[in-house]
Amino acid sequence: MPSTLHAPIVPPAPPGRSAGSDFAPLARRVRESGLLDRRPGYYVRAIGLNLAATAAVWGAVAWAGDSWWTVLLGVPLAVLAARTGFLGHDAGHRQIARSARGNRWLGLLLGNLLLGMGHGWWSDKHNRHHANPNHVGKDPDVGEGILAWTGEQAGRQRGVLRWVARHQAVLFFPLLTLEGLNLKVGSLLFLRGRRRRDQLVEGGLLVAHAVGYLALAFTLLPPAQALVLVAVQHALFGVHLGAVFAPNHKGMAMPEPGERWDHLRRQVLTSRNVRGGLFTDWFMGGLNYQIEHHLFPSMPRCSLRRVRPLVREHCAEVGVPYVETGLVASYRQALGHMREVGEPLR
């Protein structure tokens, strides 16, 4: 059975009213507020500053030379790569440009070329997650894999994977050090069987990233230091992304097979917000407003903080639990869910 350790009870729609109608008044109010309007100025600044900071760090690598201390610059490179990933995520949700074509090309440039992570692969996977968050069999983020998200998945693990499931709460963050590499491998594998044009465009940009990135690292540093710098950046990049995505849904409600919820309940009950100020917004790329993001995925990131009071008020009016917690508490709840799932195997 899915964990109910921290999952809210799913309230039914009020008598005499369709559950689907609960979202309509909120959607109308948000549209009228203008919070769904594009914010090109914000994104021009965000992309420009991120590119400038990334170039500055690589300039620091060149200036520092072949000292082993130089590999510590992999830390800011990882943080800035995560910022690039968040911007690519926003492009995938069509938050930046006005046209689908413009957002797609931004996603290709930010994801494939600058990050080495396939925009097509990410969009396909992430859109399926948004359509059915935390729904086993429909959401790829809780599908079968190295980690188990339900007791049934844990019970089917064998060999080394069974041992991992048994200790997955402890192993979660160490495993995230491999996530940066996993994202790039997944991006390449996704291109198999895709249209020839997609293979040429996306694959060509991925190859251009790999060649340019490795050439830069191995030109500026001796081979040993270059390898360590690459390893540090990718390991911390994976940990950073995992630290952002883990608190959002793990330990929240998981619909039973065949169970159907309306849009409001499907998105709110499966998501958890993380409280915090400007640093939390920056560190998590705005995804600490996970409930608002899931309800309005095309809303520019900088508007999510402003729409939050409207969503909280509406959820209170219709009796839908709105879960929000601190960052540390969110990790405690997410890891608690993973520990509970693996408990029967110990």
Side-chain angles (χ1 to χ4, degrees):
M1 294 291 291
S3 170
T4 57
L5 182 62
H6 303 288
I9 297 173
V10 181
R17 189 169 80 218
S18 166
S21 67
D22 283 341
F23 179 65
L26 175 63
R28 183 167 53 251
R29 188 178 178 187
V30 170
R31 279 196 302 271
E32 293 171 351
S33 72
L35 291 173
L36 288 170
D37 295 347
R38 296 291 175 269
R39 297 285 300 276
Y42 167 83
Y43 280 108
V44 167
R45 290 192 300 273
I47 293 172
L49 287 172
N50 194 60
L51 289 174
T54 301
V57 175
W58 279 111
V61 171
W63 175 81
D66 60 4
S67 167
W68 278 103
W69 289 105
T70 306
V71 302
L72 294 179
L73 291 171
V75 177
L77 284 175
V79 172
L80 291 167
R83 312 268 78 70
T84 304
F86 295 146
L87 290 166
H89 164 272
D90 293 358
H93 281 295
R94 303 184 181 181
Q95 296 177 16
I96 304 177
R98 296 187 182 279
S99 68
R101 181 182 178 86
N103 280 299
R104 180 174 183 271
W105 276 105
L106 278 172
L108 288 171
L109 294 174
L110 291 165
N112 293 57
L113 183 61
L114 294 180
L115 201 57
M117 190 173 78
H119 175 70
W121 169 76
W122 172 257
S123 295
D124 174 77
K125 178 177 180 291
H126 197 59
N127 288 341
R128 285 186 287 131
H129 158 71
H130 266 262
N132 293 281
N134 261 16
H135 198 141
V136 176
K138 296 182 179 181
D139 180 0
D141 288 356
V142 291
E144 302 278 353
I146 294 177
L147 300 174
W149 307 114
T150 69
E152 290 85 350
Q153 290 179 355
R156 288 193 291 268
Q157 301 286 51
R158 294 292 181 269
V160 174
L161 292 182
R162 190 174 181 86
W163 180 85
V164 170
R166 188 182 305 141
H167 305 286
Q168 61 183 5
V170 175
L171 295 173
F172 179 66
F173 282 104
L175 285 172
L176 287 179
T177 60
L178 302 175
E179 184 62 14
L181 178 61
N182 178 55
L183 294 173
K184 295 190 173 184
V185 172
S187 299
L188 288 171
L189 295 179
F190 176 78
L191 293 177
R192 296 183 304 179
R194 309 301 293 180
R195 294 184 309 169
R196 183 67 173 171
R197 183 176 183 277
D198 291 338
Q199 291 178 337
L200 290 174
V201 173
E202 293 217 31
L205 289 172
L206 290 175
V207 170
H209 165 82
V211 171
Y213 175 75
L214 293 175
L216 188 60
F218 283 90
T219 298
L220 296 178
L221 295 174
Q225 284 93 325
L227 284 172
V228 175
L229 177 72
V230 169
V232 168
Q233 180 183 355
H234 281 73
L236 294 182
F237 171 67
V239 172
H240 189 354
L241 288 188
V244 169
F245 287 103
N248 295 336
H249 301 282
K250 304 304 181 263
M252 295 303 296
M254 300 181 72
E256 297 284 354
E259 194 171 10
R260 296 177 63 86
W261 299 349
D262 66 288
H263 179 70
L264 183 72
R265 288 162 178 79
R266 183 167 62 248
Q267 304 300 343
V268 175
L269 296 174
T270 59
S271 303
R272 176 194 296 112
N273 272 15
V274 176
R275 285 191 299 269
L278 294 178
F279 174 79
T280 304
D281 291 1
W282 173 84
F283 174 75
M284 301 191 73
L287 295 177
N288 46 312
Y289 303 107
Q290 191 68 193
I291 294 173
E292 289 73 21
H293 172 59
H294 263 256
L295 287 172
F296 303 100
S298 65
M299 178 177 289
R301 182 200 311 177
C302 52
S303 297
L304 293 173
R305 172 182 281 269
R306 295 170 58 197
V307 81
R308 172 178 165 272
L310 301 182
V311 174
R312 281 178 59 94
E313 178 183 335
H314 183 75
C315 287
E317 289 176 357
V318 299
V320 174
Y322 180 103
V323 177
E324 190 174 55
T325 186
L327 184 60
V328 174
S330 71
Y331 291 136
R332 187 182 301 118
Q333 292 177 18
L335 294 175
H337 168 74
M338 298 175 68
R339 188 178 300 109
E340 182 188 66
V341 169
E343 181 66 33
L345 304 182
R346 288 194 287 275

